[in-house]
């Protein structure tokens, strides 16, 4: 159970991040917990919209993957394809989705969104493709600088490899070794510096909890 003083501090951090993100041209809102975050996202996305998903433990924790599979949306079904080539085809098709719903690997105090991918479909979609990008982000994703963001990417790499079952050295050691193999997870890194280019492109729900990793 999270200490009440930690919760208090997390709320202040989350609300401050909402201010920072809004000042950088994103549309950011505060949600007090995962349930409220889920409600915010479902209120933002209309029924019948086409949905692409980025691999995210945060989305799983909110039950959004299951919800978007209920037949009320046009979901690009990346998780139910018979083989890898068909999965890649879905990745390509989903670049034209109405909404990309995903988490974020790191957000700096300057409002930069930093993400790293294996196949690049999520990172690419965050930068350009889907009409709208919807993110759910916990306070554990906050970092001070871009250097801190890159350090965080290395720290979480072994957990991502374990999550998807990639046969990488970091699954044995728990530490990134900058491996140079095809199974490597850390192939594509993107930075979004602000949300000003396209109006209403980014909708970010900030949660004062540690969610995902």
């Amino acid at each position: 159970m999270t200490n009440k003083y930690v919760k208090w501090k997390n709320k202040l951090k989350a609300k401050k991040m909402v201010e920072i993100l809004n000042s950088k041209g994103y549309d950011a809102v505060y949600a007090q917990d995962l349930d409220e975050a889920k409600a915010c996202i479902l209120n933002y996305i209309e029924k019948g919209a086409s949905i692409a998903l980025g691999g995210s433990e945060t989305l799983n924790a909110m039950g959004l993957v299951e919800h978007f599979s209920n037949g009320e949306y046009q979901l690009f079904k990346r998780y139910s394809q018979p083989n890898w080539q068909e999965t890649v085809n879905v990745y390509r098709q989903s670049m034209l989705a109405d909404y990309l719903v995903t988490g974020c690997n790191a957000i700096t105090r300057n409002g930069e969104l930093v993400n790293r991918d294996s196949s690049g479909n999520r990172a690419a979609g965050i930068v350009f493709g889907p009409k709208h990008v919807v993110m759910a982000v916990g306070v554990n994703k906050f970092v001070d600088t871009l250097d801190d963001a890159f350090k965080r990417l290395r720290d979480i790499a072994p957990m991502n490899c374990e999550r998807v079952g990639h046969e990488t050295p970091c699954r044995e050691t728990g530490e990134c070794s900058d491996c140079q193999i095809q199974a490597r997870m850390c192939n594509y890194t993107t930075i979004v510096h602000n949300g000003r280019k396209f109006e209403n492109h980014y909708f970010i729900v900030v949660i004062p909890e540690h969610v995902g990793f």
Side-chain angles (χ1 to χ4, degrees), residues 59-105:
L59 300 188
N60 290 333
M62 287 191 286
L64 282 175
V65 177
E66 292 80 5
H67 184 88
F68 289 133
S69 303
N70 67 10
E72 296 180 320
Y73 305 86
Q74 301 174 56
L75 179 65
F76 289 94
K77 299 180 179 180
R78 56 174 289 180
Y79 296 113
S80 58
Q81 299 307 309
N83 55 58
W84 172 239
Q85 187 54 57
E86 289 303 313
T87 300
V88 172
N89 289 340
V90 172
Y91 287 168
R92 292 196 173 102
Q93 294 161 12
S94 67
M95 296 300 287
L96 297 177
D98 295 325
Y99 296 89
L100 168 63
V101 186
T102 185
C104 187
N105 293 140

Side-chain angles (χ1 to χ4, degrees), residues 19-212:
E19 293 178 5
I20 293 170
L21 292 171
N22 282 321
S23 75
K24 296 299 290 287
Y26 308 99
D27 182 8
V29 298
Y30 172 88
Q32 65 180 354
D33 54 28
L34 284 176
D35 288 338
E36 186 171 302
K38 180 179 180 180
C40 286
I41 291 172
L42 295 181
N43 185 60
Y44 185 75
I45 300 176
E46 70 276 12
K47 299 286 179 61
S50 58
I51 308 290
L53 298 174
S56 168
E57 286 296 294
T58 302
L59 300 188
N60 290 333
M62 287 191 286
L64 282 175
V65 177
E66 292 80 5
H67 184 88
F68 289 133
S69 303
N70 67 10
E72 296 180 320
Y73 305 86
Q74 301 174 56
L75 179 65
F76 289 94
K77 299 180 179 180
R78 56 174 289 180
Y79 296 113
S80 58
Q81 299 307 309
N83 55 58
W84 172 239
Q85 187 54 57
E86 289 303 313
T87 300
V88 172
N89 289 340
V90 172
Y91 287 168
R92 292 196 173 102
Q93 294 161 12
S94 67
M95 296 300 287
L96 297 177
D98 295 325
Y99 296 89
L100 168 63
V101 186
T102 185
C104 187
N105 293 140
I107 299 183
T108 73
R109 291 188 183 276
N110 195 37
E112 294 144 327
L113 315 179
V114 185
N115 287 277
R116 181 166 289 174
D117 268 7
S118 173
S119 301
N121 59 297
R122 182 182 66 102
I126 289 171
V127 173
F128 186 83
K131 294 178 183 177
H132 305 281
V133 176
V134 178
M135 287 183 169
V137 184
V139 295
N140 51 313
K141 307 299 180 70
F142 300 173
V143 296
D144 287 331
T145 67
L146 285 174
D147 285 342
D148 294 325
F150 296 144
K151 181 180 184 302
R152 186 171 202 284
L153 295 178
R154 291 175 63 89
D155 287 343
I156 66 175
M159 290 182 285
N160 266 324
C161 289
E162 178 67 19
R163 177 177 65 87
V164 299
H166 280 215
E167 295 299 331
T168 55
C170 65
R171 287 187 69 192
E172 299 295 327
T173 65
E175 297 181 357
C176 176
S177 61
D178 192 23
C179 64
Q180 300 298 315
I181 58 176
Q182 188 173 18
R184 174 186 169 108
M185 281 284 290
C186 308
N187 296 313
Y188 306 95
T189 304
T190 57
I191 303 170
V192 178
H193 296 280
N194 61 71
R196 295 191 177 98
K197 182 64 177 180
F198 299 105
E199 188 175 1
N200 300 320
H201 185 57
Y202 294 99
F203 180 65
I204 305 175
V205 182
V206 181
I207 310 160
E209 298 178 0
H210 284 227
V211 291

